[in-house]
Amino acid sequence: MSKSETNELELRAVPQDLHRIDSNIQLDELNYKLPRSKVKAVMNGDAAAGTFALHSNKIPLVLVACGSYSPVTYLHLRMFEMARDHVVEHGEFELLGAYFSPVSSGYKKAGLAYYKHRVRMCQLAVEESEFIDVDPWEAFQTETQRTAIVLRIRIKLVAGGDLIQSFASYEVRNGEKIPVWLPSDLDIILGKFGCFIIERTGSDVHDFLLSHQSLYNHRKRVHVVKQFIYNDISSTKVRLFIKRKMSIRYLLPDSVIAYISRKRLYMVDEPSGRTDGPFDDDDIIQKSLEADEKLEDKFIEVVNMDPYEVEETNRLEALRHQAMNDD
Ligand SMILES: Nc1ncnc2c1ncn2[C@@H]1O[C@H](COP(=O)(O)OP(=O)(O)OP(=O)(O)O)[C@@H](O)[C@H]1O
Ligand SMILES: NC(=O)c1ccc[n+]([C@@H]2O[C@H](COP(=O)(O)O)[C@@H](O)[C@H]2O)c1
């Protein structure tokens, strides 16, 4: 397939709908709404040469960062800014948009706040960004979703060095070693989609790249992003500071801090490891959310267009832009 054909395929697949190009991944997308207000609908192309969307020689790119975000911090926001700088510097891709994808409450991790709080905190954090948004699909699932499933359209994962190191981790269940990441999932995440790894202090990404077989096999699709200003803000420490009544100002956006304080998140440890015990009760969740806009209202409905209709829409959009530029 030529590069321009790939571009058309990807452009069609990414911003216009959730038409998947990977038929191996099954998802119930019928009722799914992807926020699309920030994602670019048309690529810039090479304006100087008068070419647009479908003629751009860059590969359209949407980034997704999976994680707990309990709570989201400036480091997490910086991950996308660093990845964008890397993309601009290397010129291969054109970044159309970026999404935080918070894990669902089914992910049993200590300190994980109720999923609606984490989605809301991420939404507050990205309010000022023109390209970062929140994809709540994963958070709204009752079961934890494997990251390969989350990356269902042609998008690349953005992850910190520590998360990448978990690619080699095992859990022992009934005396059996179970890999935390299925090798077949790693082939999808790294081989099919590709990945941006943000260097993290204390973890030697390059060394790990060399030693991990799957990462090494797919090294051409793995981009290591240098942190020119090291930032090591950790959600775990933010939670600890809150418990110890220490200041968390300038570690995360003020809007997120105000939300945490309004909802009294992370104040005490719960035996279950969750820090927002009272919100387990559905009635209380409802009451606690009354003051906020309903999350669902913020999501734009995904139009499940037929591929030909999508192609025609893209063509018209490109012509419209060209006409506007001709004027
Ligand atoms: N200091 C850091 N440098 C680079 N990436 C980071 C750093 N901290 C977190 N990340 C990345 O941010 C993403 C989301 O992180 P997540 O919220 O799951 O973990 P965390 O911030 O380490 O939180 P916790 O402290 O609760 O484990 C992951 O890809 C993780 O690797
Ligand atoms: N098998 C998998 O797909 C797999 C395994 C471990 C973590 N993850 C993801 O990595 C992210 C970060 O996890 P931790 O917060 O545990 O580092 C989460 O979004 C989680 O869903 C996915």
Side-chain angles (χ1 to χ4, degrees):
M1 189 183 291
S2 73
K3 200 166 186 181
S4 74
E5 277 172 320
T6 317
N7 279 1
E8 287 183 35
L9 188 62
E10 292 188 4
L11 186 69
R12 190 169 71 213
V14 177
Q16 299 294 343
D17 68 349
L18 283 183
H19 184 74
R20 272 170 289 121
I21 54 179
D22 177 5
S23 56
N24 294 323
I25 296 178
Q26 303 296 324
L27 279 179
D28 172 20
E29 291 165 350
L30 289 180
N31 297 312
Y32 179 59
K33 297 164 180 184
L34 177 80
R36 289 188 303 163
S37 58
K38 290 189 186 176
V39 81
K40 267 200 230 170
V42 172
M43 291 176 70
N44 291 341
D46 181 355
T51 58
F52 289 87
L54 306 183
H55 304 292
S56 170
N57 56 7
K58 294 197 177 170
I59 301 170
L61 174 69
V62 173
L63 296 173
V64 170
C66 295
S68 308
Y69 307 113
S70 186
V72 64
T73 70
Y74 278 129
L75 177 271
H76 298 131
L77 290 159
R78 285 287 307 159
M79 284 180 28
F80 282 131
E81 298 289 338
M82 289 185 276
R84 179 162 72 165
D85 283 348
H86 183 95
V87 165
V88 170
E89 177 71 13
H90 290 78
E92 183 186 357
F93 302 104
E94 179 172 333
L95 186 59
L96 303 182
Y99 291 95
F100 283 121
S101 180
V103 276
S104 79
S105 288
Y107 195 62
K108 305 274 182 257
K109 186 175 165 180
L112 201 63
Y114 181 66
Y115 71 98
K116 286 194 178 178
H117 288 316
R118 289 179 293 109
V119 168
R120 190 72 189 112
M121 287 188 280
C122 286
Q123 288 177 332
L124 289 167
V126 302
E127 254 169 12
E128 304 289 306
S129 171
E130 77 288 5
F131 78 104
I132 310 174
D133 213 332
V134 185
D135 177 358
W137 179 86
E138 185 183 356
F140 275 71
Q141 305 308 304
T142 41
E143 300 286 318
T144 308
Q145 298 296 315
R146 289 171 12 241
T147 301
I149 307 286
V150 177
L151 300 174
R152 60 210 169 276
I153 49 175
R154 190 63 181 267
I155 46 189
K156 286 182 191 283
L157 176 71
V158 175
D162 61 318
L163 191 139
I164 298 302
Q165 294 201 332
S166 75
F167 284 2
S169 303
Y170 288 87
E171 274 170 19
V172 180
R173 269 186 242 147
N174 303 325
E176 210 189 325
K177 274 170 94 180
I178 315 274
V180 172
W181 299 78
L182 292 177
S184 54
D185 278 3
L186 291 183
D187 284 337
I188 295 177
I189 294 168
L190 304 171
K192 201 180 260 292
F193 301 129
C195 178
F196 281 80
I197 307 177
I198 314 290
E199 271 188 339
R200 190 169 187 174
T201 26
S203 59
D204 188 340
V205 174
H206 289 283
D207 188 49
F208 190 67
L209 255 180
L210 207 60
S211 62
H212 190 275
Q213 195 55 49
S214 203
L215 275 168
Y216 186 75
N217 290 348
H218 302 300
R219 63 192 176 284
K220 295 227 165 78
R221 281 178 168 267
V222 175
H223 309 262
V224 178
V225 179
K226 195 155 177 51
Q227 280 209 51
F228 288 107
I229 299 178
Y230 277 113
N231 180 341
D232 209 9
I233 301 173
S234 123
S235 300
T236 304
K237 283 200 190 141
V238 167
R239 294 194 298 271
L240 203 60
F241 279 25
I242 296 171
K243 213 172 89 185
R244 303 272 180 252
K245 301 192 171 33
M246 289 159 69
S247 164
I248 52 168
R249 192 113 197 253
Y250 310 121
L251 295 175
L252 50 167
D254 281 349
S255 53
V256 178
I257 296 177
Y259 184 90
I260 291 174
S261 134
R262 206 163 67 240
K263 303 293 178 186
R264 303 185 57 75
L265 300 182
Y266 311 118
M267 308 269 172
V268 284
D269 279 335
E270 292 294 317
S272 63
R274 286 181 48 169
T275 54
D276 56 351
F279 296 113
D280 273 343
D281 182 310
D282 266 356
D283 283 347
I284 299 174
I285 291 166
Q286 221 26 62
K287 277 189 198 125
S288 79
L289 291 173
E290 260 169 27
D292 298 326
E293 306 116 284
K294 268 182 75 195
L295 284 170
E296 285 77 5
D297 292 346
K298 299 210 85 181
F299 308 147
I300 295 163
E301 194 164 352
V302 170
V303 186
N304 278 317
M305 291 166 93
D306 124 352
Y308 293 108
E309 204 183 326
V310 172
E311 209 160 47
E312 185 59 10
T313 310
N314 278 342
R315 196 180 64 79
L316 293 175
E317 188 70 355
L319 286 174
R320 194 173 63 80
H321 271 250
Q322 190 151 13
M324 264 163 52
N325 236 46
D326 287 346
D327 288 346

